[in-house]
Amino acid sequence: VTTKAAVSDKDTDIMGSMFNALKEFMQDAVSDSSSDALDDIQFGDFHVRFCTGAYCDLAVIYTGNLSMRAEDTMTDSLIAFELSNTATLENWSGGIDELPNAQEILDQLFAKLDKEYGDG
């Protein structure tokens, strides 16, 4: 299971914009259904799991099955990120340089997800 890849800041911005647009489109498409929440989208063998916080969304691309423990890890990581950056996120202009601990928190999340996948 691959849970991370090296991408440039420009690629990260593009991917973030694409995921936001995709999530909004899919939520609009299912808004008349019984559930307005869209947490997981599948593209062939790949899944995109969304976790929504108070200020931002976290999207993780994975293959296979995501355990409940892995989903909890995603949620816990997003909550920790938002709590440690609340003041910045309240007035965030979109610059990643305003969130210096973002990469560290993502690296910790991926390490935990890799370990959980490794535990079977």
Side-chain angles (χ1 to χ4, degrees):
V1 175
T2 301
T3 56
K4 61 182 172 181
V7 294
S8 70
D9 287 343
K10 183 177 180 181
D11 290 341
T12 302
D13 291 341
I14 291 169
M15 286 178 55
S17 297
M18 288 177 13
F19 282 125
N20 282 337
L22 176 61
K23 185 175 181 192
E24 288 173 13
F25 171 77
M26 295 301 291
Q27 285 177 327
D28 288 345
V30 300
S31 65
D32 293 333
S33 71
S34 60
S35 172
D36 288 339
L38 181 68
D39 297 327
D40 192 284
I41 300 171
Q42 184 173 358
F43 297 100
D45 293 337
F46 296 94
H47 294 261
V48 181
R49 171 64 81 180
F50 293 98
C51 182
T52 301
Y55 298 100
C56 52
D57 290 330
L58 172 65
V60 173
I61 301 170
Y62 66 97
T63 58
N65 296 313
L66 197 64
S67 70
M68 183 61 76
R69 187 170 65 177
E71 290 181 32
D72 291 344
T73 298
M74 286 177 57
T75 301
D76 292 347
S77 295
L78 182 57
I79 290 169
F81 173 75
E82 288 190 334
L83 285 174
S84 66
N85 293 286
T86 300
T88 302
L89 291 169
E90 285 177 346
N91 300 303
W92 190 42
S93 66
I96 194 68
D97 57 327
E98 297 176 55
L99 301 166
N101 67 340
Q103 189 61 52
E104 178 184 344
I105 289 175
L106 286 174
D107 289 343
Q108 291 171 3
L109 168 63
F110 293 136
K112 289 176 187 174
L113 291 176
D114 285 342
K115 181 180 183 301
E116 289 168 10
Y117 272 115
D119 289 346

